[in-house]
Amino acid sequence: AKGYRALPVPIRTGTGNVIDNLRSLLSISNNVLQGDLRGAGNKAGRFVINSTVGILGIWDPASALGLEKTGKEDFGQTLGKWGVGSGCYFVLPVLGPTTTRDAIGLIGDTFLDPVYQITHNNEVMDRTYSEHNYYYYRGTGAIDFRAKNIESFDSVEKNSMDLYASFKSLYLQDRKQKISNSNSKVETQDDSDWEEIDTN
């Protein structure tokens, strides 16, 4: 993540935009499952515009055209909308903090993610894709997220008496906010904290 931060800002911004654009396909699926057709339509419109006019999502012309950027949706949030309780909190190696519900959601996201389906099928539209492309996409997304939040992680680590409890509190509050689609800030955050807490 520190090496990635050394890249020029336009490259990092473009990379983050491309990752977010691809990730919106998974959000569309979950918006539909949650019954949020307006949200799904907004994300679908953004994807089409940014993938074409924005050249694969490098730029974000959809925002300039009035299609506002909204939060990511995942199957863990969908399960929460359906009334499934969060279950116990734990930390997965590499993937980070989660709950029982969100861990099941990670499995669901794999099957709902069109990028996964395209890269793991032998042939789509007469073209062959490698499954490695999916892992490059997910790995780049993780590095981009970590790079955007280096200071936030360092601040929490430096100022917390109990780092595990702090991350648990931040994660659970953030997930509750996302499931309810609330725009209010997590109480323990100030304006400079966390671009986004996300295991996806």
Side-chain angles (χ1 to χ4, degrees):
K2 289 178 180 177
Y4 178 80
R5 285 277 290 260
L7 294 173
V9 172
I11 293 176
R12 284 187 280 132
T13 301
T15 301
N17 287 344
V18 170
I19 296 297
D20 287 345
N21 192 50
L22 288 172
R23 175 63 175 74
S24 68
L25 293 171
L26 178 59
S27 292
I28 292 168
S29 305
N30 281 290
N31 277 127
V32 170
L33 290 172
Q34 294 170 24
D36 181 9
L37 299 183
R38 176 177 286 185
N42 177 71
K43 286 187 176 75
R46 285 182 56 82
F47 177 78
V48 170
I49 292 168
N50 288 342
S51 296
T52 54
V53 180
I55 308 175
L56 302 177
I58 295 173
W59 292 280
D60 183 15
S63 293
L65 295 173
L67 291 172
E68 65 180 64
K69 190 172 186 177
T70 56
K72 297 175 184 176
E73 300 290 331
D74 57 59
F75 195 59
Q77 288 169 256
T78 299
L79 292 173
K81 280 281 190 183
W82 292 350
V84 177
S86 64
C88 65
Y89 170 87
F90 55 97
V91 179
L92 290 171
V94 181
L95 298 176
T98 191
T99 61
T100 304
R101 177 189 62 213
D102 292 339
I104 293 168
L106 287 172
I107 298 168
D109 283 337
T110 301
F111 295 104
L112 287 173
D113 192 345
V115 178
Y116 177 88
Q117 296 302 327
I118 289 170
T119 56
H120 281 70
N121 285 327
N122 290 331
E123 201 171 299
V124 176
M125 296 175 63
D126 297 327
R127 294 190 65 183
T128 302
Y129 298 88
S130 168
E131 63 185 48
H132 293 88
N133 293 331
Y134 177 75
Y135 300 111
Y136 295 149
Y137 147 67
R138 291 303 299 268
T140 303
I143 292 168
D144 183 64
F145 164 74
R146 185 67 176 89
K148 288 175 181 174
N149 292 291
I150 285 177
E151 290 83 4
S152 298
F153 280 108
D154 290 345
S155 176
V156 172
E157 188 172 357
K158 181 180 178 181
N159 298 311
S160 295
M161 292 181 68
D162 185 339
L163 185 60
Y164 179 85
S166 296
F167 275 121
K168 177 180 179 181
S169 177
L170 281 168
Y171 179 82
L172 294 177
Q173 289 181 66
D174 182 68
R175 293 301 288 175
K176 184 177 180 181
Q177 176 185 337
K178 286 179 178 177
I179 290 167
S180 65
N181 289 324
S182 169
N183 291 323
S184 63
K185 285 202 172 285
V186 176
E187 291 175 8
T188 55
Q189 294 177 285
D190 61 35
D191 291 341
S192 64
D193 279 348
W194 308 108
E195 188 221 302
E196 181 174 0
I197 300 172
D198 198 349
T199 55
N200 294 307

